[in-house]
């Protein structure tokens, strides 16, 4: 953008939000322009950052950006680690975190209406006061945002986030407001915004995973669930990946779990270890060996002890078919794992407490996951990929997280690949791994969860599919101001 | 509740380049922004300035960008790193979820580097640093040991306990009463105590926090050598900053022979040993503020609460953010000299939190900085102006503030029609009931 345009934009933005909430200082802008994985990519830089405090201010900002054709990148908490919220062509970072209210927790409809600055921990904390809770997020930290996850594509390795949003309010690129779901009729956002399928198509889904390319999501109505008196995280150990997968599938089929995940022992050890152990290779190896090869947690939620006993008996019968056994841990390990299994754990960020890495995702039926694992190992071997931290076991048994998506339709399978940002060879291998992994997993039908992948996959998609996505983009955003090049290379 | 590990302390002062691994270890989770469980603000600087560049998450990104050549050292860098209370709340939450590095150590390193490059500290701090260099106290006062509101003997060969008074408790007209209360309590318990009088010099914490490591090192060394010449077994201080300097930061420059204790720790010990008898009652709803240097930096939480529990009639309740998640009063890290209106605003938020938990009385375990700040929040800026007048007069921005300070309403009074909470020092309270 021309310097003159930026200066004019700054003045206008200051009029809209007040001078303290807009900045052209590089020091203020830079933190919004990079994320963990972006360390392997080119550095992007926006020209301005603005932090509006109301929906009306967002409307005015988008009208201004349309008028002067200034690209806008919506930004919530910035815990993205997928380089999906970066200002690829410069412009304005629109930080929505000042909109941080829980507008309603509705005990009748079991929903929360929230703004984009509401973090997971805030909703958990407030909903619990009314004996409700959102279904956990699994993969991200407490400090992340629910709406940010929604816009980025779910981001939820807990596996069920995709159906958790009932309706949303969006400021469209021209500054107009709209609601989806049953609030699609004007005025119904106050009367009844609590039904996911309102009038015809599910337009909430259009914005799910849209990376801010279709507008700025300013409110979401999200489902909540009753908090029961007793909740237990039942931990089960397995000796092989195949047995773990079979056990996982049968546990899901039982239909008594609130949430259920699998993880390999080395991943669980890495997450649970405290920083002293992590920095001591000998102690760490011993610690890692104390974990079973694979670990499942089955989170059950019960009204009373009788139900809890019956549930545990059923789980015991199911897992014994595959050599599974109940396991328990003590001390700090127990505490850390319980935090992790909470499904919304800040401890999940411990995935990240070593070199930056890609969470290599795939969504496939469980029977295909052993094959995918072999492909992963082959790519690592071909590239002579080195994992820089922790034991060498991770080369033969890549660290992974398994989560039944939509409770069983396919499994989200996540593997962690590290790189050293200051080492060009390591970065090159990481990028090559990423390219080959996604190409290989796509061959077998793995789907991806956010629009950022469309840049890579467009030639492989059905032309009609892309026609619709492009058509919506061109209709809503003819000046292409919303997050240019986030979804597709050319727009 | 997170495990109560104190803020990490550097064993040695390293140059900027050697912090590379720490800087890269920030994984942008944002846990530094909020008190995790309650999701309430944890960072006074980020809470005020909004942009990430004032939170730990953004400051780490600035440091990384400088390392990678995408940003330069300049006044903007200094502004982001000095507009910070160094309260350590980010450090606690980072330790909880990441645990591989200390953001606080990176901030202190950045301040040292800014000093090395002639960009730090900020102009508002300069007179304070100059005063420390010239008079060995940050308030421009020439004479030491002559302003004390009690009579005390100078430490001699038989003295068992050194009461290390500290600069603020001698020169601050608002909080210096804590000195008198401390002396009264020590006498009441028949402690054999003394002070250094004119030989006491600043603990160095204010200049340490501003990045003046060399000056801090000289003060630490002088203090250690002087105190080690005495035969005292225990050093007691009623200033959390002095205590933290002695317990943590001086250790890089030498070893104290005596044990260091904050007065509330010491008083708690005296009660438990039966040397101090509680005879009165305090029939009030009470909560407690955990000063950063006492709690987060040194892990001292329970003695302060044990004292309150020992007083009949005290109806104790915790604020929403307490122990290691306690919100800073806002005055640390040099902020009270930089922007008193902001620090008083932060203290007001803390007072509101105290009122929200139903307390009539907010107890502060002897911290002159917290006390002055709460006083500013409630009563206005007269105390701060009096304390800083000799150093602020030399700084145009601060001098301007001094000129209008008496006209400014306190932030608390702006928000509320009446003062419905009392702030009291813990030793002051203890003297009422013993």
């Amino acid at each position: 953008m021309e310097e003159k345009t930026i200066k004019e934009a700054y003045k206008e933005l200051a009029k809209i939000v007040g001078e303290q909430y807009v900045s052209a200082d590089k020091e203020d802008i830079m933190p919004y322009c990079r994320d963990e994985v972006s360390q392997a990519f080119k550095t992007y830089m926006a020209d301005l950052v603005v932090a509006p405090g109301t929906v009306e201010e967002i409307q005015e900002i988008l009208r201004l950006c349309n008028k002067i054709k200034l690209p806008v990148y919506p930004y919530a908490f910035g815990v993205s680690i997928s380089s999906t919220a970066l200002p690829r062509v410069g412009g304005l970072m629109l930080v929505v975190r000042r909109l941080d209210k829980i507008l309603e927790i509705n005990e009748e409809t079991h929903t929360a209406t929230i703004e984009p600055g509401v973090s997971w921990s805030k909703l958990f904390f407030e909903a619990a006061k009314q004996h409700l809770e959102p279904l956990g997020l699994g993969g991200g930290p407490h400090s992340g945002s629910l709406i940010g996850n929604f816009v980025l594509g779910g981001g939820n390795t807990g596996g069920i986030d995709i159906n958790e949003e009932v309706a949303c309010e969006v400021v469209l690129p021209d500054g107009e407001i709209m609601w989806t779901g049953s609030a699609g009729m004007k005025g119904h956002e106050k009367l009844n915004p609590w039904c996911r399928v309102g009038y015809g198509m599910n337009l909430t889904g259009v914005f799910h995973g849209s990376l801010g390319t279709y507008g700025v999501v300013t409110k979401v109505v999200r489902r909540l669930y009753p908090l029961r008196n007793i909740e237990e995280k039942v931990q089960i150990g397995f000796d092989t990946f195949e047995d773990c997968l079979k056990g996982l599938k049968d546990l899901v089929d039982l239909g008594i779990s609130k949430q259920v995940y699998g993880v390999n022992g080395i991943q669980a050890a890495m997450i649970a270890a405290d920083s002293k152990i992590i920095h001591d290779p000998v102690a760490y190896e011993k610690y890692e060996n104390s974990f079973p090869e694979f670990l499942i947690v089955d989170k059950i939620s019960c009204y009373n002890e009788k139900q809890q006993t019956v549930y545990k008996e059923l789980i015991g019968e199911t897992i014994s078919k595959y050599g599974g056994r109940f396991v328990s841990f003590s001390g700090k390990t127990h505490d850390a794992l319980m935090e992790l299994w909470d499904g919304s754990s800040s401890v999940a960020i411990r995935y990240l407490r070593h070199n930056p890495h890609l969470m290599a995702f795939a969504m496939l039926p469980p029977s295909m996951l052993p094959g995918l694992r072999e492909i992963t190992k082959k790519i690592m071997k071909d590239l002579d990929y080195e994992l820089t931290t922790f034991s060498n076991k991770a080369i033969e048994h890549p660290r992974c997280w398994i989560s039944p998506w939509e409770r069983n339709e396919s499994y989200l399978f996540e593997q962690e690949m590290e790189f050293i940002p200051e080492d060009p060879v390591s970065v090159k291998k990481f990028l090559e791994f990423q390219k080959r992994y996604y190409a290989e997993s796509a061959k077998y039908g793995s789907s991806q969860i956010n629009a950022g992948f469309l840049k890579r996959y467009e030639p492989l998609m059905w032309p009609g599919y892309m026609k619709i996505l492009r058509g919506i983009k061109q209709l809503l955003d003819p000046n292409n101001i919303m997050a240019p090049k986030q979804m597709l290379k050319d727009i | 509740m997170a495990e109560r590990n104190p803020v990490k302390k550097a064993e040695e002062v390293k140059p900027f380049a050697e912090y590379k691994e720490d800087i890269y270890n920030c994984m942008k989770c944002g846990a530094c922004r909020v008190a995790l469980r309650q999701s309430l603000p944890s960072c006074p600087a980020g809470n005020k300035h909004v942009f990430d560049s004032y939170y730990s998450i953004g400051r780490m990104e600035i440091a990384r960008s400088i390392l990678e050549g995408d940003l330069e050292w300049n006044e903007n860098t200094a502004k982001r790193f000095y507009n910070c209370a160094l309260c350590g709340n980010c450090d606690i939450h980072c330790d909880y979820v990441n645990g591989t590095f200390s953001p606080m150590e990176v901030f202190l390193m950045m301040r040292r580097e800014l000093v090395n490059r002639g960009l730090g500290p900020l102009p508002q701090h300069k007179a304070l640093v100059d005063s420390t260099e010239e008079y060995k106290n940050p308030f421009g006062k020439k004479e030491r040991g002559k302003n004390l509101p009690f009579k005390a003997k100078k430490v001699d060969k038989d003295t068992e306990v050194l009461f290390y008074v500290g600069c603020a408790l001698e020169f601050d007209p608002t909080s210096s009463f804590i000195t008198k209360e401390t002396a009264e309590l020590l006498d009441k318990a028949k402690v054999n105590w003394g002070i250094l009088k004119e030989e006491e010099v600043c603990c160095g914490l204010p200049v340490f926090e501003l990045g003046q490591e060399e000056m801090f090192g000289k003060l630490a060394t002088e203090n250690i050598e002087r105190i080690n010449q005495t035969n005292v077994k225990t050093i007691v201080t009623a200033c959390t900053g002095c205590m933290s300097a002695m317990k943590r930061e001086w250790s890089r420059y030498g070893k104290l022979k005596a044990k260091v204790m904050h007065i509330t720790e010491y008083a708690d010990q005296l009660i438990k040993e039966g040397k101090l008898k509680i005879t009165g009652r305090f029939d009030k709803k009470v909560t407690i503020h955990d000063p950063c240097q006492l709690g987060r930096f040194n892990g001292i939480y329970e003695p302060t609460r044990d004292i309150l529990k020992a007083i009949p009639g005290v109806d104790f309740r915790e604020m929403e953010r307490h122990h290691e998640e306690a919100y800073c009063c806002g005055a640390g890290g040099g902020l009270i000299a930089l922007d008193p209106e902001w620090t008083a605003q932060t203290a007001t938020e803390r007072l509101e939190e105290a009122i929200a938990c139903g307390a009539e009385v907010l107890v502060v375990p002897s911290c002159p900085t917290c006390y002055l700040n709460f006083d500013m929040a409630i009563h206005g800026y007269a105390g701060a102006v009096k304390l800083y007048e000799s150093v602020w007069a030399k700084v145009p921005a601060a001098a301007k503030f001094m000129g209008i300070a008496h006209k400014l309403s306190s932030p608390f009074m702006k928000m509320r029609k009446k003062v419905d909470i009392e702030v009291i020092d813990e030793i002051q309270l203890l003297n009422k009931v013993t």
Side-chain angles (χ1 to χ4, degrees):
Chain A
M1 294 296 290
E2 280 184 28
E3 205 179 315
K4 194 180 157 196
T5 313
I6 298 300
K7 280 187 178 166
E8 283 301 312
Y10 178 90
K11 281 185 198 164
E12 292 301 315
L13 288 166
K15 281 185 206 163
I16 296 169
V17 297
E19 201 145 359
Q20 71 269 41
Y21 297 121
V22 58
S23 178
D25 288 350
K26 281 184 179 177
E27 288 76 10
D28 291 332
I29 299 166
M30 183 62 89
Y32 302 108
C33 300
R34 310 168 86 169
D35 70 16
E36 193 200 28
V37 175
S38 73
Q39 292 185 28
F41 300 103
K42 185 186 156 199
T43 297
Y44 299 101
M45 191 67 189
D47 302 292
L48 295 162
V49 56
V50 66
T54 65
V55 175
E56 290 73 23
E57 287 177 359
I58 292 175
Q59 289 180 277
E60 280 193 63
I61 290 166
L62 293 193
R63 285 186 200 116
L64 170 71
C65 291
N66 252 305
K67 193 173 146 194
I68 61 174
K69 296 187 174 53
L70 182 69
V72 189
Y73 291 84
Y75 188 103
F77 280 75
V79 297
S80 162
I81 51 159
S82 319
S83 65
T84 45
L86 301 174
R88 291 169 198 277
V89 298
L92 174 67
M93 297 309 290
L94 177 69
V95 181
V96 292
R97 222 170 45 232
R98 284 180 62 217
L99 282 76
D100 61 355
K101 291 181 194 66
I102 296 174
L103 299 166
E104 183 187 25
I105 291 176
N106 190 312
E107 289 181 74
E108 182 187 7
T109 58
H110 288 185
T111 54
T113 305
I114 57 170
E115 293 186 323
V118 174
S119 65
W120 283 93
S121 59
K122 185 168 183 168
L123 185 57
F124 271 102
F125 190 73
E126 294 302 327
K129 291 177 184 170
Q130 296 180 48
H131 303 287
L132 293 167
E133 64 171 353
L135 216 44
L137 81 151
H142 265 112
S143 44
S145 128
L146 292 97
I147 292 187
N149 276 4
F150 163 70
V151 175
L152 287 174
N156 181 347
T157 51
I160 34 192
D161 189 60
I162 204 159
N163 285 332
E164 294 306 296
E165 285 85 19
V166 174
C168 62
E169 178 194 76
V170 189
V171 179
L172 296 174
D174 61 1
E176 187 187 319
I177 285 186
M178 68 163 277
W179 271 88
T180 64
S182 57
M185 189 177 287
K186 279 174 89 174
H188 281 209
E189 70 277 9
K190 292 189 179 72
L191 290 173
N192 176 16
W194 304 296
C195 183
R196 191 153 67 98
V197 182
Y199 303 93
M201 289 75 74
N202 175 9
L203 285 188
T204 311
V206 170
F207 296 95
H208 195 119
S210 64
L211 302 173
T213 54
Y214 289 165
V216 182
V217 178
T218 44
K219 289 181 188 73
V220 157
V221 180
R222 191 184 163 97
R223 286 178 174 167
L224 300 173
Y225 296 86
L227 265 177
R228 291 176 189 159
N229 292 336
I230 299 171
E231 184 168 292
E232 185 175 354
K233 292 124 190 172
V234 182
Q235 298 174 111
I236 306 149
F238 289 91
D239 293 331
T240 69
F241 184 50
E242 287 74 10
D243 284 341
C244 174
L245 283 173
K246 287 174 193 163
L248 200 54
K249 186 166 186 340
D250 281 8
L251 286 174
V252 173
D253 288 347
L254 265 183
I256 60 170
S257 312
K258 189 171 182 180
Q259 280 178 302
V260 56
Y261 326 104
V263 63
N264 57 348
I266 60 169
Q267 176 78 318
M270 196 274 286
I271 292 166
D274 69 27
S275 51
K276 275 184 196 158
I277 294 176
I278 275 185
H279 285 123
D280 179 345
V282 177
Y284 182 74
E285 192 176 351
K286 194 177 164 193
Y287 185 73
E288 192 179 74
N289 288 335
S290 71
F291 280 73
E293 287 298 310
F294 286 88
L295 195 56
I296 284 177
V297 66
D298 194 340
K299 195 170 162 186
I300 55 172
S301 172
C302 307
Y303 291 104
N304 53 43
E305 285 176 6
K306 191 176 171 190
Q307 185 185 17
Q308 187 186 17
T309 307
V310 172
Y311 274 21
K312 283 180 78 174
E313 281 172 8
L314 284 168
I315 292 169
E317 281 170 25
T318 305
I319 59 170
S320 63
K321 285 184 277 182
Y322 309 109
R325 68 269 177 198
F326 292 128
V327 291
S328 59
F329 301 87
S330 57
K332 285 182 181 177
T333 303
H334 168 83
D335 295 346
L337 286 175
M338 288 302 119
E339 288 275 357
L340 177 68
W341 304 138
D342 254 341
S344 59
S345 173
S346 53
V347 178
I349 204 68
R350 291 185 183 185
Y351 280 137
L352 312 176
R353 63 181 180 177
H354 46 99
N355 283 319
H357 66 275
L358 169 78
M359 289 179 184
F361 292 110
M363 253 73 70
L364 286 166
S367 62
M368 297 176 80
L369 296 185
L372 179 67
R373 203 149 168 81
E374 291 309 310
I375 289 170
T376 306
K377 284 194 248 181
K378 184 175 181 309
I379 299 171
M380 288 173 79
K381 201 173 171 188
D382 288 351
L383 294 173
D384 195 18
Y385 206 103
E386 286 174 28
L387 294 173
T388 54
T389 46
F390 312 107
S391 76
N392 288 328
K393 267 189 181 179
I395 301 286
E396 276 304 304
H397 308 278
R399 295 198 312 274
C400 69
W401 177 274
I402 319 154
S403 175
W405 187 266
E406 292 286 294
R407 299 189 194 231
N408 219 13
E409 71 183 31
S410 68
Y411 280 30
L412 183 142
F413 186 59
E414 172 191 309
Q415 296 176 106
E416 325 295 335
M417 304 305 300
E418 302 157 22
F419 66 96
I420 305 167
E422 61 269 39
D423 176 0
V425 177
S426 172
V427 170
K428 196 176 164 193
K429 278 185 185 177
F430 164 78
L431 295 173
E432 183 60 23
F433 174 86
Q434 189 194 40
K435 195 171 148 191
R436 288 180 59 178
Y437 179 82
Y438 285 118
E440 286 293 322
S441 59
K443 277 186 201 169
Y444 295 92
S446 171
S447 55
Q448 293 306 330
I449 52 170
N450 78 47
F453 287 95
L454 287 168
K455 281 198 284 285
R456 199 187 305 265
Y457 289 150
E458 186 169 8
L460 306 172
M461 306 296 289
W462 292 105
Y465 193 106
M466 295 313 298
K467 200 189 285 180
I468 291 171
L469 292 184
R470 283 177 170 277
I472 295 171
K473 174 75 174 158
Q474 280 155 6
L475 178 72
L476 294 178
D477 186 18
N479 293 323
N480 191 27
I481 61 156
M482 294 305 306
K485 302 202 175 185
Q486 294 284 51
M487 181 165 73
L488 297 167
K489 282 178 182 166
D490 56 331
I491 56 172
Chain B
M1 184 64 73
E3 189 181 341
R4 285 169 191 159
N5 293 326
V7 165
K8 286 178 190 148
K9 182 189 74 163
E11 297 303 321
E12 56 177 323
V13 173
K14 298 183 289 184
F16 176 52
E18 289 183 29
Y19 281 89
K20 194 172 185 176
E21 192 181 334
D22 300 67
I23 291 166
Y24 277 105
N25 272 351
C26 171
M27 294 305 172
K28 301 202 74 175
C29 70
C32 50
R33 292 196 195 104
V34 286
L36 278 176
R37 294 296 171 227
Q38 302 92 333
S39 200
L40 293 167
S42 66
C43 172
N47 201 33
K48 183 198 175 197
H49 293 281
V50 176
F51 294 120
D52 273 356
S53 49
Y54 291 88
Y55 286 103
S56 176
I57 186 173
R59 292 200 191 112
M60 300 303 287
E61 203 61 41
I62 292 172
R64 181 184 135 198
S65 300
I66 290 174
L67 268 176
E68 294 176 358
D70 290 327
L71 286 178
E72 292 171 357
W73 293 97
N74 57 29
E75 289 78 7
N76 280 344
T77 321
K79 194 176 164 194
R80 272 68 185 176
F81 281 91
Y82 279 104
N83 270 276
C84 170
L86 294 180
C87 69
N89 218 326
C90 56
D91 215 282
I92 292 291
H93 289 102
C94 187
D95 190 58
Y96 184 35
V97 300
N98 183 319
T100 58
F101 76 108
S102 161
M104 281 288 297
E105 282 306 317
V106 176
F107 301 165
L108 287 164
M109 172 276 295
M110 291 296 281
R111 287 185 176 198
R112 287 194 291 271
E113 192 65 22
L114 284 159
V115 168
N116 291 343
R117 290 168 184 271
L119 294 161
L122 298 181
Q124 291 91 324
H125 297 126
K126 194 176 175 306
L128 187 150
V129 173
D130 290 347
S131 164
T132 308
E133 187 156 38
E134 190 174 353
Y135 304 118
K136 296 185 180 175
N137 73 72
F139 306 119
K141 308 290 182 188
K142 290 178 186 165
E143 293 189 315
R144 192 94 200 201
K146 295 190 177 173
N147 308 282
L148 298 170
F150 58 84
K151 285 187 178 175
K153 68 168 185 177
K154 192 171 174 180
V155 161
D156 60 27
K157 62 181 176 46
D158 299 320
T159 309
E160 288 175 1
V161 173
L162 166 65
F163 172 25
Y164 185 94
V165 179
C167 306
L169 285 182
E170 178 166 357
F171 301 121
D172 178 356
T174 305
S175 61
S176 58
F177 76 93
I178 300 169
T179 323
K180 190 165 172 273
E181 297 284 354
T182 303
E184 189 182 326
L185 186 115
L186 292 173
D187 283 341
K188 214 180 270 183
K190 298 188 171 53
V191 175
N192 172 7
W193 64 282
I195 61 172
L196 291 172
K197 286 201 169 171
E198 73 285 352
E199 289 187 53
E200 189 178 300
V201 298
C202 177
C203 70
L205 196 78
V207 288
F208 167 77
E209 290 190 332
L210 294 176
Q212 304 278 356
E213 184 66 27
E214 196 182 331
M215 196 184 297
F216 170 70
K218 283 180 189 166
L219 289 166
T221 306
E222 188 176 340
N223 269 303
I224 294 165
E225 286 174 357
R226 176 70 192 90
I227 295 170
N228 280 351
Q229 284 167 8
T230 70
N231 293 327
V232 298
K233 303 277 186 299
T234 307
I235 307 163
V236 169
T237 171
C239 170
T240 59
C242 294
M243 182 216 62
S244 197
M246 290 182 214
K247 277 198 173 186
R248 291 164 54 94
E249 315 305 343
W250 286 5
S251 60
R252 289 197 303 277
Y253 296 93
K255 189 169 166 40
L256 279 169
K257 289 189 291 184
K259 184 184 180 186
V260 177
M261 293 181 91
H262 186 259
I263 185 65
T264 52
E265 266 185 300
Y266 192 64
D268 181 48
Q269 183 180 297
L270 292 172
I271 294 167
K272 286 171 181 165
E273 288 172 353
K275 293 176 182 166
L276 200 60
K277 303 267 186 233
I278 294 174
T279 51
R281 296 179 60 84
F282 193 69
D283 292 299
K284 298 264 186 183
K285 292 170 186 158
V286 173
T287 190
I288 198 161
H289 171 71
D290 292 294
C292 308
Q293 296 287 355
L294 190 68
R296 270 188 290 275
F297 285 77
N298 289 284
I300 300 168
Y301 300 105
E302 298 318 318
T304 58
R305 286 163 174 77
D306 287 350
I307 290 174
L308 294 179
K309 284 174 197 163
I311 301 173
V314 166
D315 178 359
F316 180 73
R317 66 267 324 277
E318 293 283 7
M319 282 188 264
E320 210 160 9
R321 291 168 290 185
H322 56 87
H323 285 84
E324 68 272 30
E325 301 220 347
Y327 197 49
C328 173
C329 78
L335 282 190
I336 199 164
L338 181 67
D339 191 343
E341 284 184 272
W342 168 25
T343 57
Q345 179 57 44
T346 307
T348 302
E349 290 162 27
R350 190 67 173 149
L351 288 168
E352 290 286 308
E353 191 176 348
I355 291 165
C357 81
E360 301 162 290
V361 176
L362 172 65
V363 169
V364 180
S366 304
C367 175
T369 313
C370 292
Y371 194 88
L372 172 62
N373 198 20
F374 285 125
D375 186 77
M376 288 201 308
I378 295 174
H379 300 116
Y381 305 96
V385 168
K386 202 158 187 188
L387 177 61
Y388 286 99
E389 61 188 347
S390 56
V391 289
W392 278 355
K394 297 173 187 171
V395 184
K400 192 178 164 192
F401 171 76
M402 281 169 66
I404 58 166
H406 67 283
K407 294 180 194 164
L408 297 172
S409 288
S410 77
F412 190 81
M413 291 300 281
K414 275 188 207 168
M415 291 178 70
R416 304 179 83 88
K417 285 179 186 159
K418 60 171 185 168
V419 177
D420 40 11
I421 190 157
E422 183 187 359
V423 179
I424 189 167
D425 175 75
E426 192 158 25
I427 299 305
Q428 183 186 15
L429 170 61
L430 206 45
N431 276 331
K432 284 178 196 276
V433 294
T434 51

